[in-house]
Amino acid sequence: MLIVCLFVVLGIFTKFTNAQYTTTVLAGTGAQGYSGDSGPAVSAKVNLATGAWVDTNGVTFFVDYSACVVRQIDKAGIITTIGGTSGISIATSGGDFADIDLYNPWGLAGDSSYLYVSDNYHIWQYTRSNGLGSILAGTGTLGVSGNGGPAGSSDVNRPDGLWLTTGNVLYIAEYGSNLVRKITLSSNIISTVAGTGTAGLGGDGESPLSTNTKLSSPSGVYVDTTGVIYIADRSNSRVRYISNGIINTSAGGGTYSTSGYLATNSILSTPFDVIGDTLGNIYIVEASSIRVVDYQTNSYLSGIIGPRGIWLDNINSRTIIPMQAYVKTAPLYSNAVSTVTPTQAPSPTPSPTSSVVPTQLPTPAPSLAPTWSPSPIPSNFPTASPSAIPTLTPSATRQRNQVIHHLLLRVPQLLLTPRPLLFLPITQRPHPV
């Protein structure tokens, strides 16, 4: 019973003040284009920035999808192009990464030695020490062949978001094939993680590889430190997650756009990307906002027009937001709300004219108080000062919620609200801007 009550309290979208979120331009002038190399990034033109990554030295890398290039911004704020010619064609071999045509690159991941970049036909590996680019996966033909074999001999179909784990496994949200795949870099073997290759929605409560499990144009993937995999299931307007070999829905798929409802009863608008922080907060990049969900409060980063990706730069305590005509930064959510005490959302009251009733509404936890009446307290009996009552700090509250959330990921499927299957048509590229 305790787990059920906690599930009702947590996982709720509640509106939170966005006064703490002030965005700052890292690159771009507001006019779409491609220019400004070797000069200040704030004076350079950016077309449509998508993937981003920051190394431990504070150097920012981002992909410009429409300009077909990969660029970097050093700590002094100077921008340069390190990959792509700004021409668009299907490359057939590697070489100097700045001389290779990239076909609408989208995703980006990296470590101290390599960057990994996805374009329509390939996954590229960029060696940071010598500037060379090589084909890690993809033959130049759109497809999904090669599972269980060398990644370099496999086809890929419009891979989007990338995530590199500390164990050197590269996860791929493969938009065109409706799959999430992975490359084990120690062996360069590629395999499917979730989906059947057919666009649709289904499989919650089952294996991510079952014949019923379907994704529709996934465009972002994130793996937390416990191994839970989150998927931005874009055309299904959901965030899915895989835990202990079972796939479920984490957010979206509901009918309510207002606050106070469970995440699975709320509406998401075209989730492009998803990421999490060390406190257990989940960031969802939607078509016109970035939603931060810590399963007790919900917030939106303000000043965002057309975000397409996200990276949490813990080195410089900022959020990197690639978007149309800009790359912007904002405070980390955990810093922005450090002085605010989250409160439990009130139980929402549906509109009298609405015929839709949410399947799980926040309800008060059952009282555990005794049912007997206490004896009268003598007037001279000492009482405790209110200041002696312990309270949780905001940080402790978030840490407690993180632990509870990860416990709830293991709750049997019988406790979850069943949802009907819905099959949606795949949305083909180009991506909307």
Side-chain angles (χ1 to χ4, degrees):
M1 186 61 180
L2 176 60
I3 293 179
V4 175
C5 296
L6 289 174
F7 187 80
V8 172
V9 172
L10 302 177
I12 298 171
F13 282 172
T14 59
K15 207 62 182 290
F16 197 77
T17 176
N18 57 17
Q20 293 90 353
Y21 300 111
T22 301
T23 59
T24 302
V25 173
L26 182 63
T29 63
Q32 287 185 267
Y34 170 58
S35 68
D37 269 359
S38 302
V42 292
S43 301
K45 287 184 178 180
V46 174
N47 207 323
L48 178 60
T50 53
W53 179 74
V54 181
D55 71 9
T56 55
N57 295 317
V59 178
T60 302
F61 300 86
F62 71 93
V63 170
D64 193 325
Y65 167 85
S66 295
C68 298
V69 295
V70 181
R71 308 178 82 176
Q72 76 170 28
I73 305 168
D74 66 18
K75 294 188 69 174
I78 302 301
I79 191 170
T80 55
T81 296
I82 63 168
T85 64
S86 78
I88 185 169
S89 67
I90 304 173
T92 58
S93 62
D96 190 320
F97 202 39
D99 294 333
I100 295 173
D101 287 344
L102 301 176
Y103 202 113
N104 291 137
W106 185 277
L108 181 65
D111 58 21
S112 59
S113 299
Y114 302 102
L115 293 183
Y116 300 92
V117 179
S118 62
D119 74 9
N120 272 16
Y121 293 87
H122 301 99
I123 305 292
W124 293 92
Q125 184 180 61
Y126 167 74
T127 304
R128 298 180 62 185
S129 61
N130 58 21
L132 296 180
S134 59
I135 296 173
L136 179 65
T139 64
T141 300
L142 297 179
V144 294
S145 66
N147 269 331
S153 301
S154 69
D155 294 333
V156 295
N157 190 346
R158 297 167 180 157
D160 270 8
L162 303 176
W163 184 265
L164 181 64
T165 70
T166 55
N168 281 327
V169 177
L170 184 68
Y171 284 80
I172 308 160
E174 205 162 314
Y175 172 95
S177 63
N178 306 296
L179 298 172
V180 171
R181 302 169 86 183
K182 69 178 181 181
I183 300 173
T184 303
L185 296 178
S186 59
S187 62
N188 276 348
I189 298 299
I190 191 169
S191 57
T192 296
V193 174
T196 62
T198 300
L201 174 63
D204 275 5
E206 300 184 34
S207 164
L209 295 175
S210 80
T211 56
N212 293 323
T213 299
K214 293 180 174 61
L215 306 173
S216 189
S217 307
S219 60
V221 61
Y222 158 69
V223 184
D224 73 11
T225 56
T226 69
V228 177
I229 303 168
Y230 293 84
I231 304 165
D233 196 355
R234 179 173 157 186
S235 291
N236 282 328
S237 295
R238 286 164 168 77
V239 170
R240 316 281 290 278
Y241 71 92
I242 303 170
S243 177
N244 289 340
I246 300 296
I247 189 168
N248 278 301
T249 295
S250 176
T255 57
Y256 291 87
S257 59
T258 56
S259 61
Y261 293 90
L262 289 174
T264 49
N265 285 337
S266 298
I267 296 172
L268 291 181
S269 176
T270 316
F272 283 89
D273 204 0
V274 61
I275 198 171
D277 64 20
T278 56
L279 296 178
N281 304 315
I282 299 298
Y283 301 64
I284 303 171
V285 178
E286 297 182 274
S288 59
S289 66
I290 296 179
R291 185 177 298 194
V292 185
V293 186
D294 68 7
Y295 289 84
Q296 186 166 355
T297 63
N298 176 54
S299 182
Y300 297 89
L301 298 182
S302 61
I304 306 299
I305 301 175
R308 290 297 180 265
I310 190 169
W311 181 259
L312 304 184
D313 179 10
N314 293 303
I315 301 298
N316 298 297
S317 297
R318 61 185 182 173
T319 304
I320 307 296
I321 308 163
M323 56 193 298
Q324 180 175 307
Y326 287 111
V327 176
K328 289 189 175 183
T329 70
L332 289 177
Y333 173 73
S334 56
N335 292 345
V337 301
S338 61
T339 60
V340 182
T341 303
T343 57
Q344 180 178 335
S347 298
T349 302
S351 169
T353 60
S354 174
S355 60
V356 180
V357 179
T359 56
Q360 284 182 291
L361 289 177
T363 57
S367 172
L368 300 180
T371 57
W372 63 83
S373 299
S375 302
I377 300 176
S379 59
N380 62 348
F381 194 83
T383 58
S385 168
S387 62
I389 300 174
T391 59
L392 287 176
T393 64
S395 176
T397 299
R398 287 192 297 272
Q399 292 176 6
R400 176 202 62 189
N401 289 346
Q402 180 191 12
V403 172
I404 294 173
H405 171 54
H406 284 298
L407 287 174
L408 292 178
L409 291 179
R410 279 74 177 173
V411 174
Q413 179 62 20
L414 291 175
L415 295 179
L416 299 176
T417 304
R419 287 174 289 276
L421 298 181
L422 174 64
F423 293 89
L424 300 178
I426 181 172
T427 303
Q428 295 292 339
R429 283 196 179 172
H431 294 279
V433 296

